[in-house]
Amino acid sequence: MKTLVFVSLVGLFLHDTTAEMHSLRYFFTASSEVPNFPEFVAVGMVDDIQGGYYDSNTKRAEPKQDWMNRVTEDKADYWEWETERAVYYQQLFKVRLDTFKRRFNQTGGVHIVQWMYDCEWDDETGDVNGHEQYGYDGEDFLALDMKTWTWVAAQQQAVAIKQKWDNNKADLEYLKNYLTEECVDWLKKYVDYGRSSLMRTDLPTVSLLQKTPSSRVTCHATGFYPNRAMMFWRKDGEELHEDVDKGEILPNHDGSFQISADLQLPSDDWGKYDCVFQLSGVKEDIVTKLDKREIKTNYVNPMNPVIPIIAIIAIIAALVLLGLAVIGYKKYRGRKSTCETSSENSSELAEKLNPEPT
């Protein structure tokens, strides 16, 4: 079964905003015969933070951030309205999924249609931008060119659909108005509602890690917020692209994020290398020099079985104390048994000397 991931072009739009750029993105996924997964899911993201959610099981749009409840200040029935829209898209995507399957001469089996649209707004320059695109079974399918306002087919099976949608001028005009105006208006409201959260910045703890002396050096940053961040290695001030493996931004249990980047061990002067962490909204980078003395590891050389003397003393002391405790306990039990026996014998003697009257 194909993994439920957004198509490759969608990934290009995540984590690329600056401190001044804001985005409102919607992701829709319709699927067939996927076990333990709703047939339709809709997710709304404000500055890459999930703001709302709907699926075909719950049949209800709901906020995912406390500040999204403020939207009812401007539109009291907002969540009912969002639910109605989601139900409409659910029905629409059921039809489009069947249409795409016919284009590929498919019937049953696991199939997935994904749709993403967004608008972006620079709160300093006022510039706006937008995107809209479709994916099918994990591959790019159709994308809207906002310069020519025509659809671009990524696969041969999408050509007929492209031609049909290009001829629908009314729909294209609606998309133009929505992506450049209506969507931006909503984005500005959401940013205002969640400003304290969306503009929050927490700096990370950055560490250099290494499993063994011959393995790659990992630069690891954790505890930062928001998730719009970058990490890379430099040599002599120039970003390295070879011998570097960049990891994805991952969530922590407390709502913060972490990221790492691995560097192949350099053969030349280590002092030429440093790790750079950049966080959206923070002007200064966090730069960590590659220094052997700063690398953390739990590696123990198998050829050097020497254990720190303190550890040896602690282990021996613990064993001695345990032995003494066992010996003491045995002596105590022995004395107790002797006392109990003596007590029983004394009782028997007393009964013989002072028999009860019959």
Side-chain angles (χ1 to χ4, degrees), residues 267-331:
S267 57
D268 51 357
D269 184 5
W270 282 34
K272 298 178 179 180
Y273 296 81
D274 54 40
C275 171
V276 181
F277 175 85
Q278 297 176 337
L279 183 64
S280 177
V282 178
K283 294 183 178 180
E284 294 186 6
D285 299 340
I286 298 179
V287 180
T288 305
K289 291 287 185 181
L290 180 57
D291 187 336
K292 292 182 179 181
R293 296 168 298 180
E294 299 298 325
I295 296 177
K296 299 178 181 178
T297 181
N298 56 3
Y299 173 76
V300 177
N301 189 347
M303 302 303 293
N304 184 12
V306 178
I307 302 175
I309 189 64
I310 295 177
I312 294 178
I313 294 174
I315 293 173
I316 294 175
L319 292 175
V320 171
L321 290 174
L322 179 61
L324 291 175
V326 171
I327 294 172
Y329 179 71
K330 288 182 177 179
K331 289 183 177 180

Side-chain angles (χ1 to χ4, degrees), residues 141-194:
F141 192 68
L142 281 164
L144 180 64
D145 186 337
M146 291 187 62
K147 295 180 179 179
T148 62
W149 291 101
T150 58
W151 289 94
V152 178
Q155 300 187 48
Q156 183 61 37
Q157 291 85 347
V159 172
I161 299 175
K162 161 199 160 46
Q163 294 172 346
K164 180 179 179 180
W165 290 4
D166 281 348
N167 291 328
N168 191 339
K169 302 302 181 183
D171 190 47
L172 288 171
E173 188 62 30
Y174 168 78
L175 288 176
K176 182 177 182 180
N177 177 74
Y178 179 82
L179 294 176
T180 60
E181 295 185 27
E182 185 177 345
C183 178
V184 176
D185 289 341
W186 278 112
L187 171 57
K188 292 177 180 179
K189 291 180 181 180
Y190 298 146
V191 169
D192 185 55
Y193 300 147

Side-chain angles (χ1 to χ4, degrees), residues 201-207 219-234 248-249 257-261 274-289:
T201 54
D202 294 338
L203 296 178
T205 299
V206 181
S207 304
C219 185
H220 180 254
T222 185
F224 62 87
Y225 188 93
N227 63 346
R228 297 186 299 280
M230 292 182 61
M231 174 177 278
F232 55 90
W233 282 95
R234 295 187 311 195
E248 297 180 354
I249 294 178
F257 298 91
Q258 61 174 293
I259 189 175
S260 62
D274 54 40
C275 171
V276 181
F277 175 85
Q278 297 176 337
L279 183 64
S280 177
V282 178
K283 294 183 178 180
E284 294 186 6
D285 299 340
I286 298 179
V287 180
T288 305
K289 291 287 185 181

